Amino acid sequence: MKRLVAMLAVSVLFAGCGEQQEQAPQEQVSPEIDGEQAAPVKEGTLSLQESAGAAEGRFVSGDDVVAFRSREVEPGVFSVDVSLHGLALNALMDPANGAGSLDGFAEANGADTQIVDEDRAVLAGFSAALNRDLPQGDAASPAAKYLRRSVSLWAEHPSSVELERTVLGERGRGYTMLCSYAKCGGAYTGSCSSWNWYSYAKHDCQHGGFDATINQQIAQLGNHGTCSGDEYYYSSGWKCGEPDHWSRPKVYGNCFGRCGGGCGGDTQYTVDATNHDGCVRNGHALASAYCDDQFTSASDDELYAGNCY
C-alpha cells in the first residue's frame, strides 16, 4: 500500500490587533458541505483502567462497542490499538523523535479498509468521552494522552485518505506552533476585549488555490467562545455559523486552530491545524476530500506537537 509522509513547511503572514469586541448575536448559518451531512456524534459510556505505562478499556454507545489499549512498548514509544465495527486501528508513535506510523485493516482477514461515516460518529463520541474524563493536557498519563490524540485524529479521518501511512514531523519542520495567536488580551481563554488576528487560515479546493481570497480567513485562534458548538464570523456584527468561501472573513470561536475537533483535551495550536479548520469550516465537510491535504499535513501536529498551556 502506498505510504504517505506528512511533512509541511509553511510561511505565515501576520495581522495586527486592537479592534474592540462586539456582542455576538445568535444567528445560525448553515454551511455548504459538499452535498453530504456528517453522521451525528454517538455519545456513550467510557470504562478506562490505567496501570504502569498502559491505559485500556471499552467505550459503549448502544450496540457499538469500542475496545482499546494504549501502552508504552519501549521507553518513550507508544502503541495504540482500537477496535470497532470489525475494524482494527493502530498507531505506533515515538513523539520525542517525531516518528510513527498509522494502520487500519479488517479484523476478519487483514484486508485494507477505510473509516466511514458510521465509524467516525462512534470515534467522535469516544474522543469526546476521553476529552471529558481524562485529565487535560500533560496532566494525563503519556499512555492516556497518546490514546486521546490518536482517537481524535481517527475521528476526523477522511475515507479518501489511506489508513496505512507514515507520520513524521518535528517542530519547525513538520509543524509550526501558533501558541501566541491563541491568546487575546494576553489570555488563552475567555472573551476577547481586543483581537490578535492570524492571517491567513487557507486551503485549496474546487474554488481555487491557496492564494484565492475566498479560500482564506482572518482568524482569532484559541478558546474564546462558541455558539451552539460553532464559531462566529463577522458580517455587520458577529453572527453564529460558518461563512462559505467569502473573501477573507474574520472568524473566531470553537477553539479555531486547535488540533482535533473543537476544544479537545490537548491545547496544540499550529499552522496546519489552523489551515485544516480553515478548510472544514469554510464550506466543506469534516471528511471532505478537498481537505485531505490539510488533514494529512496536520496529522503530525496532533500526534507530536506540545501543548501551548
Side-chain angles (χ1 to χ4, degrees), residues 178-184 187-192 195-198 219-226 230-232 251-259 262-264 266-270 274 277 281 308-309:
L178 291 178
C179 296
S180 63
Y181 283 89
K183 292 182 178 181
C184 69
Y188 283 114
T189 61
S191 60
C192 295
W195 301 105
N196 184 22
W197 297 113
Y198 173 80
Q220 169 65 64
L221 310 188
N223 186 6
H224 301 296
T226 184
D230 214 331
E231 65 183 46
Y232 292 104
V251 296
Y252 83 96
N254 200 24
C255 292
F256 200 105
R258 191 160 165 169
C259 290
C263 299
D266 286 285
T267 59
Q268 310 143 284
Y269 290 90
T270 70
T274 297
D277 280 351
R281 301 188 190 184
C308 289
Y309 58 93

Side-chain angles (χ1 to χ4, degrees), residues 11-150:
S11 61
V12 295
L13 299 174
F14 305 120
C17 55
E19 296 182 38
Q20 294 301 308
Q21 167 82 351
E22 299 185 39
Q23 187 174 1
Q26 299 295 303
E27 178 181 330
Q28 186 69 39
V29 174
S30 298
E32 168 203 347
I33 54 171
D34 304 326
E36 296 184 3
Q37 291 288 339
V41 174
K42 300 196 71 172
E43 298 180 353
T45 302
L46 176 68
S47 300
L48 184 148
Q49 299 81 40
E50 293 197 59
S51 57
E56 59 186 313
R58 300 201 313 168
F59 172 77
V60 179
S61 177
D63 294 331
D64 299 302
V65 178
V66 180
F68 61 88
R69 186 183 185 194
S70 175
R71 64 195 190 281
E72 188 174 22
V73 293
E74 296 179 14
V77 178
F78 297 88
S79 178
V80 175
D81 292 288
V82 171
S83 171
L84 77 157
H85 297 165
L87 169 66
L89 300 170
N90 173 262
L92 183 64
M93 293 165 283
D94 180 357
N97 292 306
S101 63
L102 300 172
D103 198 4
F105 52 88
E107 290 180 310
N109 55 16
D112 294 342
T113 187
Q114 289 294 348
I115 294 175
V116 297
D117 281 346
E118 292 76 10
D119 304 322
R120 277 187 290 270
V122 177
L123 288 167
F126 179 24
S127 180
L130 291 171
N131 290 334
R132 179 193 67 223
D133 293 351
L134 290 176
Q136 297 292 294
D138 295 332
S141 69
K145 181 173 74 172
Y146 291 113
L147 168 68
R148 177 172 60 203
R149 291 186 176 193
S150 300

